[in-house]
Amino acid sequence: MEKTTKVNKSILAVFIFFFLGLIQHSFAQRPIPQNGRQVQNPNQRVQQEALQQGEVEGEEQTGRRTLLDDSTRMVFGPTTALFFYEKDIKRNSLTLYPQDTSLTNFHNYDPRAKGGWKYQDLGNIGSAAKPIFYEIPDQIGTRSGFHAYDIYYHNPETRKYFDTKSPFTNMSAFFGGGNRNMLDLEFARNVNPRWNIGFEFHTIRSRKTLNPIARDDNMVEQTSYSLHTNYRSENGRYWLLGNFSRMRHVVNEIGGIIPPEEDSTSVYFTYEDAKVWLRNSQARDLRQDYHFYHEYKVRDGLQIYHVFDRKSQDIRFDALLNSTDSLFYPSARLLESDTTRNIHDFSEWKNEFGLKGTFGGFFYNAYAKLRNGRMQNPAFESDNTFNEVFIGGQLIGKLSEKWSLSADGEYLLPGAFRIHGVFQSPWLDVEYTKALYKPSSMQQRYAGNHFNWDNDFDNVGVDQVTGTLKLDIGKAKIRPGLTINRVNNYIYFDENRLPVQASGEAFMLMPSVKSAIRVGKKFQWDAEVIFTSVSGGAAEAFRIPELFANTRFYFDSPAFDENVFLQFGLDIRYHSSYFADAYWPSHQQFYLQNTFDVYAYPVVDVFLNFRINRTRVLLKYNHLNSGMMSREGYFVTPDYTGIRSFIDLGITWYLFD
């Protein structure tokens, strides 16, 4: 282990010198344009009227150059390939965002790292994952209940729509150590000034980090894509947004490392030589979604709109029980003796009709929503169907650029509801949510080869209050925060891997602090710390580390006469010891366990991000402190180790014509 660590660190040094040499060589061959400007804030507001004219006025106010350079040649770039979101159109607050060319957090390219490491997974890109902290579901109605791969799905409701002045292409390739690779491709173009079309394509190919038997022995294989379009009429009264999305996510399950107490020859932290439970078990999550939104302006201050969704999620798990995999599963076989085939097909249709507009400086929205669906399973005598009717509305008041107040609510007939309010000011943000949401379809009814249940759970109730102070002291931005949750009738999977409903309440007190501190002119220190205390009769249903912390210290400055933008530093993450949930592959759920301590262990990564013109490159050495601690490594989930020392490479580049 020590020898391997030394070799990996030598490789890291060689790569750093190689890339620095490559930079110098590129400057000697081709000068970099000097008139480019990095967009430091990718969320800045862009004036819609100026964009429709094809050039931006008020350059001093927006911090962006015009579309014409001094030679009257069109200049296309990150601020001419703009995008927006459906939620902003729906709220009558169109915001156009330029492409993000910033380097901050670029080295954290995989979904779990992008989310601030606030997900528990199985130690590999694309593996099953769940939030570490309690989250209120977005949907108060019936959900499928199969959420292990949600983090890897590009939700249509959050899809980007483009307003481009030229064909735009974004290509990203990430080569993780141990053949953990991702490819992202994004394309958009304008058919005419009012009509844009495009597509996205994403793949994940992650080789097993534990006991692979071949170079292409992948744990995860994902292929996903989407087609999207947006159109507005010549008079601006009608607007249409539409997209189709599909994801096929396949996981060859390993079941974790066989514990040494089960097999005396099994040893933790041998990685490629680890002894794992499963070789012939596979999970598949296939999702498709047809989604469109359109609205029509009746008159000033009044629009009508319609949202349509057709979603399907096909969940399948297969295992050969005439192999050694049978040792992992319970001896009871409910459907077949030599093969497990668990099949669940969840589908839903949604239609939302509403009106919206502005009145007296306030935005208003009122709607009715019809939602129908079913869960199919060959072992069910009949489909598990649902028909749901919602009514809801929203009111937003923007008192000034820095003061706003909003409230929204939704009621499901009968018995479920969600009330949500947000107050924002220059020094304090407060958010309150009260909800009563339905159990998932899978929690209520399930039929598989190893488990079978038919429940009648009550709705789950939650109250959540979140407050954040905004303290700006010199070069330091400090955000103390506090979140308070009260959850009753919570549904979880117990030590027997069965869904149960807690009879009491759980109270969560979560003080936190986030900070961004500039140290001198060229160094940056970012940090986030969250403390969590869980009490009440249902406290044991929630497994959350008492202390969770991330910090990053790095050099951040232009280099080589501002031809290169460079970040180089350390990224450290840590959580205190806790009995993290275990994972059961056949029904794809995390469940409680009380014997395996996922102990405290700091993980240190070193990274180098740099940008030349519009091309960003990352070099990351994962788990720098491997072999330097009192323990050989760390766990992310019981019997699943975190990755060993790996080097990741990545590149993202934009094309604007």
Side-chain angles (χ1 to χ4, degrees), residues 437-479:
Y437 59 88
K438 296 179 68 174
S440 71
S441 178
M442 187 267 187
Q443 291 170 340
Q444 294 281 48
R445 188 179 179 190
Y446 177 86
N449 200 32
H450 306 289
F451 295 98
N452 193 332
W453 59 75
D454 193 351
N455 297 314
D456 186 20
F457 291 136
D458 294 328
N459 291 349
V460 181
V462 58
D463 288 276
Q464 183 181 83
V465 180
T466 301
T468 304
L469 286 173
K470 303 175 182 178
L471 304 177
D472 296 338
I473 306 171
K475 296 182 180 181
K477 296 182 182 297
I478 303 174
R479 300 291 184 264

Side-chain angles (χ1 to χ4, degrees), residues 76 166-169 655-657:
F76 299 112
S166 65
F168 163 71
T169 305
L655 302 176
F656 295 98
D657 50 30

